[in-house]
Amino acid sequence: MGIRIGIVGAGTTVAIADRHVEGFLAQAGRCTVTAVCSRTLEGCRRLCIRHGLDGVRMTTRLEELLDVVDAVVLCTPNQFHLPYTERAVERGKAVLLEKPLGLQTAPPGQAERLLARRDARVMVAYVYRYTAVVERLRALLRQRMGRVYLAQASQGGTRLADPAVPLEWRMRRSASGSGALGDFGSHLLDLLQYAAGVELAEAAGYGGTFLPTRRPDGQGNTCVENDDAFVFCGRGTGGALCSVSVSRVGLDGIHLCISGEGGLLRASVEEGVLTYWPKAPDGPYAPEGEARSEHLAEPPGLRFARQAAAFLDLVEGRPVEYCTLEQAVRLERLLTRLDPMPPKSGGMGIPLSLHQLSQQWLELDPLQNRGAQRQGVGCAPLDKLRRPLGRCLQRLPPEHRPQHHAGEKIAGSGELGGLLSGHSKTDAPCGPVEAARADG
């Protein structure tokens, strides 16, 4: 039987649970899918039928699944990621956790409690690490690049560009947190860190919601509460400059372009194409005709099979490189600080942090200035923020100023909170907000 695997979440919108099941089925002899937990038993049954799984425990309760497995794969909406991870870790289970972590929706202190546990075995599922093109990109960067000067990254999709697509849980802040920023931006920051060794230390960006209302979901909600697209730039380790673009309403796949002392590398990850244009570290680029492309396309299922194999190594206690919970928390804290308040509709981006409004840059050292960061003001003292922040808010049209809803905590406190309140108004709610259930 091998390691007993439990799948939590059986949604079919993007079918992430199906991809994970296929990955573990490819590890025949090392593991068995023994339990599935989802919002409904019918969802569990359909997942089992799609993959020919027999003798599987089907349940709607996480605790019942934890009774019969050694390891858990979490494919739920983001709001359940950390709460379910904590419950699994408390029961001694290893966890393969879908990204993003859901820091914006998790109870306060939950990530810190998990990080403090020395017995936690948690792999965060940044699956593009396990593609042939990313492995080749990483090898060339280490062998040829030297110091990185500039990194550009983009990722997106087209499914949600259709206004006829109804509201989904991933469009609601209570279930998802941010939108395209968290969903795609987390992948890109992980790839920059993993492949190029570039980890952002400071960043600033703009987000927009271009389709602000959708057809109603099952609870009658119509209002999109997070970003459709986001762009940000920043400075990484070693001084590298980075720019990142993400969109769920119209970008194609994952594209990386990295240049430095040793030349220029361009990768189209999902197409499996890698181009290298060499440069002498102390000299010019080679003639353009000497740029060489490699074609490393492969079936998408292979990346999930490799990820499953790495996770099983972790469960078995073997040495393995993977995205740790600590690494994922660090990069997602950066994204969370870029998006502390809802974006504005109509495509007008506004700086999405108080510190950006005053000084343009958001300092993101996770080990320093924690008190100021918890107040949502980066590292700038209040007396330096008040006047420039007021000027910035005055320049925005009223409909694009930060909104303060009744009962909602304003980023910042004291005089700063009052400043925001003076430039905001209470909007009518868009519709009832129901908690998403454990389904992907």
Side-chain angles (χ1 to χ4, degrees):
M1 175 178 287
I3 296 168
R4 299 173 300 168
I5 300 293
I7 306 293
V8 182
T12 57
T13 303
V14 295
I16 192 65
D18 292 82
R19 305 290 81 78
H20 282 294
V21 170
E22 292 165 357
F24 285 103
L25 291 178
Q27 307 302 316
R30 294 188 69 186
C31 65
T32 304
V33 177
T34 57
V36 177
C37 175
S38 193
R39 181 169 55 93
T40 65
L41 290 176
E42 180 63 17
C44 298
R45 187 182 69 83
R46 290 178 179 176
L47 179 68
C48 292
I49 290 174
R50 288 195 297 272
H51 299 282
L53 301 176
D54 296 321
V56 172
R57 171 77 68 87
M58 293 181 285
T59 179
T60 59
R61 297 184 63 248
L62 179 63
E63 297 304 324
E64 288 185 11
L65 176 136
L66 295 176
D67 288 339
V68 297
V69 302
D70 305 307
V72 178
V73 184
L74 291 181
C75 310
T76 66
N78 303 344
Q79 71 180 117
F80 298 109
H81 284 178
L82 288 181
Y84 284 10
T85 296
E86 187 170 42
R87 288 164 64 180
V89 168
E90 287 173 348
R91 295 284 299 275
K93 313 302 179 181
V95 178
L96 177 57
L97 174 59
E98 262 302 325
K99 41 57 61 185
L101 301 180
L103 291 184
Q104 291 171 308
T105 62
Q110 194 154 57
E112 288 73 16
R113 288 197 303 272
L114 279 166
L115 289 173
R117 294 190 66 119
R118 297 186 178 274
D119 60 339
R121 294 171 296 165
V122 181
M123 172 188 287
V124 183
Y126 285 109
V127 70
Y128 293 105
R129 287 184 173 212
Y130 301 96
T131 58
V133 66
V134 168
E135 284 301 323
R136 180 62 176 151
L137 172 66
R138 188 188 196 202
L140 282 172
L141 283 166
R142 291 185 170 190
Q143 296 165 6
R144 306 285 184 84
M145 184 57 69
R147 184 184 179 191
V148 173
Y149 299 155
L150 185 69
Q152 298 173 312
S154 67
Q155 183 182 6
T158 58
R159 181 180 68 87
L160 297 180
D162 182 358
V165 175
L167 194 79
E168 300 176 0
W169 65 261
R170 56 183 47 80
M171 302 172 188
R172 291 163 45 201
R173 294 186 75 86
S174 60
S176 178
S178 63
L181 177 65
D183 198 7
F184 298 135
S186 59
H187 267 308
L188 296 178
L189 290 189
D190 178 69
L191 287 176
L192 290 175
Q193 188 278 325
Y194 175 74
V198 173
E199 184 171 355
L200 288 189
E202 55 185 12
Y206 291 80
T209 300
F210 299 93
L211 299 173
T213 59
R214 295 274 185 170
R215 290 169 49 201
D217 62 8
Q219 288 79 42
N221 299 298
T222 61
C223 182
V224 176
E225 300 170 348
N226 53 23
D227 56 286
D228 283 331
F230 213 103
V231 295
F232 62 94
C233 58
R235 188 184 301 275
T237 50
L241 299 180
C242 305
S243 64
V244 178
S245 302
V246 294
S247 173
R248 63 187 181 192
V249 292
L251 273 179
D252 59 330
I254 299 177
H255 301 280
L256 304 172
C257 185
I258 300 169
S259 61
E261 289 179 326
L264 183 148
L265 278 158
R266 183 181 295 110
S268 296
V269 174
E270 291 177 283
E271 291 82 359
V273 179
L274 178 66
T275 301
Y276 175 48
W277 186 3
K279 172 189 176 299
D282 55 352
Y285 272 87
E288 190 169 354
E290 294 187 16
R292 294 290 179 265
S293 294
E294 300 180 42
H295 296 271
L296 304 165
E298 55 190 1
L302 282 180
R303 69 186 72 144
F304 285 92
R306 294 182 186 124
Q307 180 176 255
F311 180 60
L312 294 175
D313 286 343
L314 174 65
V315 177
E316 294 169 347
R318 300 182 184 183
V320 60
E321 185 176 11
Y322 63 97
C323 182
T324 66
L325 184 63
E326 181 180 3
Q327 290 170 333
V329 166
R330 192 162 60 243
L331 75 83
E332 195 162 321
R333 280 177 174 160
L334 185 150
L335 295 176
T336 297
R337 293 181 183 118
L338 281 171
D339 180 34
M341 62 181 71
K344 300 302 171 188
S345 61
M348 176 180 177
I350 63 169
L352 292 179
S353 79
L354 304 181
H355 193 204
Q356 290 162 29
L357 283 167
S358 64
Q359 296 185 356
Q360 303 303 310
W361 290 102
L362 176 62
E363 300 294 338
L364 294 167
D365 185 341
L367 301 179
Q368 298 180 16
N369 302 298
R370 286 181 174 173
Q373 289 170 357
R374 279 196 296 270
Q375 297 178 21
V377 296
C379 307
L382 180 60
D383 59 346
K384 292 184 179 180
L385 271 171
R386 187 186 301 108
R387 189 168 297 172
L389 174 58
R391 289 197 298 265
C392 289
L393 289 174
Q394 288 282 13
R395 286 198 294 268
L396 290 173
E399 67 271 19
H400 291 293
R401 293 174 187 169
Q403 304 297 302
H404 177 215
H405 299 275
E408 179 183 353
K409 181 180 179 181
I410 303 176
S413 60
E415 293 180 79
L416 184 56
L419 175 61
L420 274 177
S421 296
H423 292 280
S424 63
K425 60 185 178 182
T426 300
D427 288 345
C430 293
V433 178
E434 302 291 338
R437 298 296 298 277
D439 214 352

